Amino acid sequence: MALAIFLFTYVFIAGIKLPFPKLDRPGGALVGAVLMVVAGVVAPAEVFNYSADPARHAVDMDTLVLLLGMMLIADYLSQAAFFRAAGAWALRKAHTPRLLLVAVACTSAFLSAFLVNDTICLMLTPLVLVVVDDARLPPIPYLLAVCMASNAGSVATFTGNPQNMLIQGASQLPYAQFVAYMALPAVVATAVVVGGLLFVFRKELSHERFQTHPPPPPVDRPLLGLTLVTLLGVVAAFFAGLPMSWSALTGAAVVMTLARRHPRQAIERVDYVLLLFFACLFVVVFGVNKAGWADDIYRIFSPFMSGPPWRETLGFAGLTLVASNLFSNVPFVMLARAWVPTLHDPVLSWHVLALGSTLAGNLTLVGSVANLIVFEAARGKAEISFLGYLRVGLPITLVSFVLGLAVLLAEHALF
């Protein structure tokens, strides 16, 4: 029963369209969670009762609270026009189509390293569309730079993307240690994204100079200063080893209290659909684990990871890259969290899981929510097919993953 419910849920998580029922990803996850409880696979007490032992409760509240706190801080940055100002500054520094692509990619990657990458894509896409339209440039390379670089840059920290937040909750690795190992692979992956896009679109992007003059946005300087200082304090708390979820929510509460504006707008703009999707998915995956199917799935793939430690690591890396596209990265990370502690080097395996599940999002158009956000926002102005994206995403993903994994393995060997 648990497996049947999981497969039913997976159909909608994978984005498969059925004539009936007409469910999307959040709706499919919600129905799947309800079915797990109604069928008796998961008891209601296991959903709502929180305990220190993750094996005894379904919903990982720490991850949801962390995501909520970062969303609220990001919204106050948006209200202060931080994202528009940062994007406009980067675009003013670019004088050729190629430098413009580099500026877009680096801005997206850097911001995504500290804030949730989905938010960065949502904020940067409209600005990029305006600039490339004014400069009469093809929009596709720049839109790909936004989403692909945001995925690559988000590898660097636990707060870069939702799957890294899940890994933080399960691994309890120190924030500073994670950044120390993952920052360089993130830089390498971003460089591969930039180099790959410049090569693929070398004919469309010339060296001729042009002038871009995006209008300077009206920045709310007091709110911007307050929010940036608070964000720095939150990141400092992360490095100090304080609980990440409550550090983020405390930061959001500080800004909310001192911002001198009604908080309703920020609260209403929180992506509660995403939070509901995660909560329901926690219940579905908890039911699969409780029924023993996660162990069975692991045994199916264990032959690819048998042998010496290096083979186990490479096998797990390959499995992560492939399965994150088959199952979608967030559900796969939820499943794989139970496997990592049994591997030869759990710390390395957590880092490999973060690297592979995140960079896998660059492989296909539907591989990452960030990709969908960008091209949904650009609907009517720029279109790309599944195969058109795959033509670019496949080589960039494979090269960035191989090089990023090589850097990660070298770091673990040296340190």
Side-chain angles (χ1 to χ4, degrees), residues 254-285:
V254 168
V255 177
M256 195 176 295
T257 303
L258 302 178
R260 295 184 177 181
R261 58 176 64 196
H262 293 295
R264 179 177 292 273
Q265 181 181 2
I267 294 173
E268 288 180 345
R269 288 172 59 175
V270 168
D271 191 349
Y272 293 105
V273 174
L274 180 62
L275 296 178
L276 175 66
F277 172 67
F278 270 70
C280 294
L281 206 54
F282 277 129
V283 177
V284 173
V285 175

Side-chain angles (χ1 to χ4, degrees), residues 64-126:
L64 297 183
V65 171
L66 174 60
L67 191 55
L68 172 62
M70 296 308 295
M71 284 180 177
L72 287 169
I73 293 174
D75 186 78
Y76 276 102
L77 285 174
S78 176
Q79 291 185 45
F82 168 76
F83 297 108
R84 283 180 289 162
W89 177 85
L91 296 173
R92 281 197 300 271
K93 298 300 180 181
H95 301 292
T96 70
R98 295 193 172 202
L99 283 178
L100 178 61
L101 186 139
V102 174
V104 168
C106 291
T107 301
S108 181
F110 178 78
L111 294 178
S112 296
F114 298 98
L115 299 166
V116 185
N117 63 341
D118 298 346
T119 300
I120 302 305
C121 290
L122 188 63
M123 301 301 175
L124 288 185
T125 300

Side-chain angles (χ1 to χ4, degrees), residues 31-402:
V31 173
V34 171
L35 289 175
M36 282 289 184
V37 175
V38 171
V41 178
V42 178
E46 292 175 311
V47 177
F48 299 113
N49 290 352
Y50 187 80
S51 68
D53 182 5
R56 297 177 58 189
H57 64 268
V59 178
D60 186 346
M61 289 302 300
D62 281 337
T63 298
L64 297 183
V65 171
L66 174 60
L67 191 55
L68 172 62
M70 296 308 295
M71 284 180 177
L72 287 169
I73 293 174
D75 186 78
Y76 276 102
L77 285 174
S78 176
Q79 291 185 45
F82 168 76
F83 297 108
R84 283 180 289 162
W89 177 85
L91 296 173
R92 281 197 300 271
K93 298 300 180 181
H95 301 292
T96 70
R98 295 193 172 202
L99 283 178
L100 178 61
L101 186 139
V102 174
V104 168
C106 291
T107 301
S108 181
F110 178 78
L111 294 178
S112 296
F114 298 98
L115 299 166
V116 185
N117 63 341
D118 298 346
T119 300
I120 302 305
C121 290
L122 188 63
M123 301 301 175
L124 288 185
T125 300
L127 175 64
V128 170
L129 285 172
V130 169
V131 172
V132 297
D133 184 59
D134 289 344
R136 297 182 180 180
L137 295 172
I140 294 298
Y142 300 97
L143 294 175
L144 290 174
V146 171
C147 60
M148 286 186 164
S150 76
N151 289 329
S154 71
V155 168
T157 70
F158 281 132
T159 53
N161 56 64
Q163 59 269 20
N164 280 9
M165 293 183 183
L166 293 171
I167 290 171
Q168 186 276 328
S171 68
Q172 295 299 308
L173 292 175
Y175 184 89
Q177 182 195 62
F178 186 86
V179 173
Y181 279 106
M182 301 303 293
L184 187 54
V187 170
V188 170
T190 302
V192 172
V193 168
V194 172
L197 292 176
L198 289 176
F199 177 78
V200 171
F201 296 101
R202 60 192 181 277
K203 295 181 179 178
E204 290 93 333
L205 304 177
S206 67
H207 294 281
E208 297 179 1
R209 293 178 64 87
F210 66 89
Q211 295 294 327
T212 58
H213 298 287
V219 176
D220 187 333
R221 294 185 181 276
L223 179 60
L224 179 60
L226 168 65
T227 311
L228 286 178
V229 170
T230 303
L231 179 59
L232 289 174
V234 170
V235 173
F238 292 164
F239 276 100
L242 297 177
M244 291 184 60
S245 56
W246 286 101
S247 296
L249 199 59
T250 299
V254 168
V255 177
M256 195 176 295
T257 303
L258 302 178
R260 295 184 177 181
R261 58 176 64 196
H262 293 295
R264 179 177 292 273
Q265 181 181 2
I267 294 173
E268 288 180 345
R269 288 172 59 175
V270 168
D271 191 349
Y272 293 105
V273 174
L274 180 62
L275 296 178
L276 175 66
F277 172 67
F278 270 70
C280 294
L281 206 54
F282 277 129
V283 177
V284 173
V285 175
F286 181 84
V288 171
N289 286 329
K290 184 181 177 182
W293 281 106
D295 294 333
D296 292 337
I297 294 173
Y298 176 72
R299 280 192 289 270
I300 292 173
F301 293 105
S302 60
F304 300 100
M305 297 180 285
S306 60
W310 65 267
R311 182 176 176 181
E312 179 187 77
T313 300
L314 294 180
F316 182 63
L319 171 62
T320 299
L321 185 66
V322 174
S324 293
N325 275 280
L326 292 178
F327 292 98
S328 188
N329 50 13
V330 169
F332 175 72
V333 168
M334 288 184 178
L335 281 174
R337 290 182 305 171
W339 308 342
V340 173
T342 66
L343 300 178
H344 175 77
D345 188 344
V347 174
L348 173 59
S349 299
W350 286 120
H351 294 155
V352 169
L353 181 61
L355 181 75
S357 63
T358 301
L359 294 184
N362 281 337
L363 185 62
T364 67
L365 180 60
V366 298
S368 167
V369 174
N371 303 347
L372 297 175
I373 288 173
V374 168
F375 285 98
E376 281 297 317
R379 184 181 293 274
K381 297 181 179 179
E383 303 287 343
I384 189 170
S385 66
F386 182 88
L387 292 179
Y389 184 100
L390 184 64
R391 178 178 66 89
V392 181
L394 179 61
I396 287 179
T397 300
L398 294 180
V399 173
S400 62
F401 178 67
V402 170

